[in-house]
Amino acid sequence: MREKLIIIGAGMATGRALETLVETAPDAYDITLFNAEPRGNYNRIMLSPVLSGDKTYEEIVTHDDDWYAGHGVTCRFGERITAIDRAAKTVTAENGDVLAYEMLIIGTGSTPFMIPLTGQDLEGVIAYRDLEDTMRMMDLGPAHKCVVIGGGLLGLEAAAGMAARGVDVTVVHIMGHLMERQLDEAAGYLLRKALVDKGITVKCSANSKEILGKDGQVRALLLDDGTELPCDLLVMAVGIRPNVALAQAAGVAVGRGIHVDDQMVTSDADILAVGECVEHDGALFGLVAPLYDQAKVLAQTLIGQQATFVQKELSTKLKVTGCDLFSAGDFADGEGREDIVFRDPARGVYRRLVIEDNVIKGAVMYGDTADSNWFFGLIQSGEDIS
């Protein structure tokens, strides 16, 4: 008799866990997959190319109906789980169905953070999170105006995708330069210049004050300094928060995320968690590489194999609107640190290494990231480069 496994959430992490599970132990579990979105697993990272028109949604689906059917997975898409009863070992679906489980996986992901501004509930104010949000942006034709709040990766991808479709886009960012988590000021400046060259208006050190509407529909964003930025659509891309509500209500231990150990097991031995909703050793995860590592460990734990999730030093290698970026380690200025900087303004290339005690502590590269992996290796190993 196969044990009943229920999975809540069809994101990229649970998708990878499912793959590993059906490959290594196809007969171990009777699997039911719930997802609040009315569809199964797709590659969320590829929503940007869908927005810009380089790909279709069909091309970014990772598991289609045939895949689930072929592996005997029962799919309940477009259905939320409203409660988990740990004592009875059951979950309750939106329609009132109560299903028993032997093992449960929580993969509820994250929710977009919405800045609490007056007017945030107006029609036309959205986050950039799923296919529905992407479709809303794709529906805006040329001659329409959009304001994007947030100059991080997601905000810039939203802006670039819409600009490629002829929408008049303005990016509003509270910090002094774009992508301040990944880039230093000089690289942020180059990125800004590249976006402006694409026709995108960029306002840094700009503080949003209020969202203005007319007849229940968004019409403009008002900044602290009194500037009004007219818009037909306002996209908030200011960060995400682990979605822990369901786990918390069930009495599973949570901090900023759902607490998991090295085997991805929560405070309840029969409940595992994976992805953007988890907190491991004080850390939260938003990049896909660690999520895939977690997924593999989770699948091995489920079939009784010994596996351990280890956090690794992370590097960010990205293409934003056709510009190559790379950053790793700690590149803040500090006492006893020196910089090696290479600039080639004509080619739009900037590279900076941060060195302390003859060891590379951090690196930022813009425009040419060809040997970034080599530098990342040196940061990881802490090798003496004198």
Side-chain angles (χ1 to χ4, degrees):
M1 196 53 189
R2 295 192 298 173
E3 289 202 340
K4 287 191 186 328
L5 170 68
I6 291 178
I7 303 176
I8 305 172
M12 293 178 72
T14 57
R16 181 57 62 96
L18 252 180
E19 274 172 22
T20 311
L21 195 56
V22 298
E23 274 165 26
T24 46
D27 301 321
Y29 289 98
D30 173 6
I31 304 169
T32 303
L33 176 64
F34 280 88
N35 199 25
E37 275 190 66
R39 60 188 66 86
N41 301 91
Y42 64 92
N43 186 341
R44 211 180 272 281
I45 298 173
M46 299 306 284
L47 281 173
S48 305
V50 172
L51 174 60
S52 62
D54 294 334
K55 282 200 180 312
T56 63
Y57 167 69
E58 287 68 35
E59 288 176 279
I60 69 166
V61 171
T62 48
H63 303 138
D64 58 16
D65 294 347
D66 293 345
W67 189 90
Y68 295 119
H71 292 96
V73 177
T74 305
C75 300
R76 305 207 29 180
F77 298 149
E79 288 191 65
R80 286 174 195 279
I81 292 291
T82 55
I84 299 168
D85 183 335
R86 287 168 43 215
K89 290 183 71 165
T90 60
V91 298
T92 304
E94 230 167 354
N95 65 357
D97 283 358
V98 177
L99 289 83
Y101 67 82
E102 262 107 9
M103 295 300 284
L104 177 67
I105 297 174
I106 302 178
T108 43
S110 56
T111 45
F113 176 63
M114 300 298 272
I115 309 170
L117 295 175
T118 307
Q120 70 170 43
D121 43 9
L122 286 164
E123 176 58 35
V125 178
I126 65 169
Y128 181 20
R129 185 76 197 123
D130 55 25
L131 185 65
E132 275 70 23
D133 300 328
T134 308
M135 305 294 267
R136 283 294 299 272
M137 291 188 254
M138 289 165 72
D139 287 344
L140 269 193
H144 283 87
K145 290 184 189 308
C146 177
V147 169
V148 177
I149 303 180
L153 178 61
L154 258 184
L156 297 184
E157 288 191 330
M162 284 184 286
R165 291 178 170 271
V167 178
D168 179 347
V169 185
T170 302
V171 174
V172 174
H173 192 45
I174 194 165
M175 304 302 281
H177 69 273
L178 298 173
M179 290 184 69
E180 74 285 347
R181 283 196 186 152
Q182 291 90 0
L183 301 178
D184 61 11
E185 202 173 334
Y189 170 79
L190 283 173
L191 178 58
R192 178 180 183 160
K193 186 175 173 305
L195 293 169
V196 170
D197 289 345
K198 284 189 162 56
I200 297 168
T201 306
V202 180
K203 292 187 177 300
C204 289
S205 306
N207 205 354
S208 307
K209 186 178 181 184
E210 188 183 338
I211 302 170
L212 308 175
K214 187 182 179 190
D215 305 328
Q217 170 73 34
V218 64
R219 71 167 184 83
L221 175 68
L222 176 67
L223 302 181
D224 259 2
D225 64 5
T227 308
E228 264 192 41
L229 303 171
C231 58
D232 305 294
L233 187 71
L234 187 142
V235 180
M236 272 201 213
V238 289
I240 53 174
R241 294 206 167 152
N243 187 358
V244 300
L246 191 64
Q248 195 165 21
V252 176
V254 304
R256 289 184 303 156
I258 301 168
H259 285 163
V260 292
D261 64 13
D262 295 345
Q263 281 68 49
M264 308 309 298
V265 180
T266 66
S267 58
D268 181 320
D270 299 320
I271 302 179
L272 288 80
V274 67
E276 288 180 348
C277 63
V278 307
E279 178 181 340
H280 174 269
D281 227 355
L284 301 175
F285 306 88
L287 294 171
V288 76
L291 300 192
Y292 282 170
D293 289 346
Q294 291 176 5
K296 208 169 163 191
V297 170
L298 177 133
Q300 288 169 296
T301 300
L302 277 176
I303 55 179
Q305 290 180 354
Q306 195 48 45
T308 304
F309 171 64
V310 181
Q311 291 182 33
K312 299 181 182 131
E313 167 98 54
L314 285 179
S315 65
T316 316
K317 195 170 185 176
L318 304 162
K319 227 185 177 50
V320 181
T321 73
C323 314
D324 287 312
L325 318 174
F326 170 83
S327 73
D330 175 9
F331 47 85
D333 293 324
E335 196 65 40
R337 292 191 161 185
E338 55 174 326
D339 283 359
I340 299 177
V341 177
F342 169 80
R343 278 194 180 86
D344 182 346
R347 279 171 55 222
V349 172
Y350 165 85
R351 308 165 69 130
R352 171 174 168 234
L353 299 178
V354 179
I355 296 163
E356 189 177 358
D357 301 328
N358 291 323
V359 171
I360 301 181
K361 290 292 183 187
V364 182
M365 299 179 186
Y366 179 95
D368 176 7
T369 59
D371 45 11
S372 55
N373 287 346
W374 184 71
F375 285 113
F376 183 47
L378 291 175
I379 293 172
Q380 283 179 301
S381 65
E383 196 177 316
D384 186 312
I385 58 158
S386 54

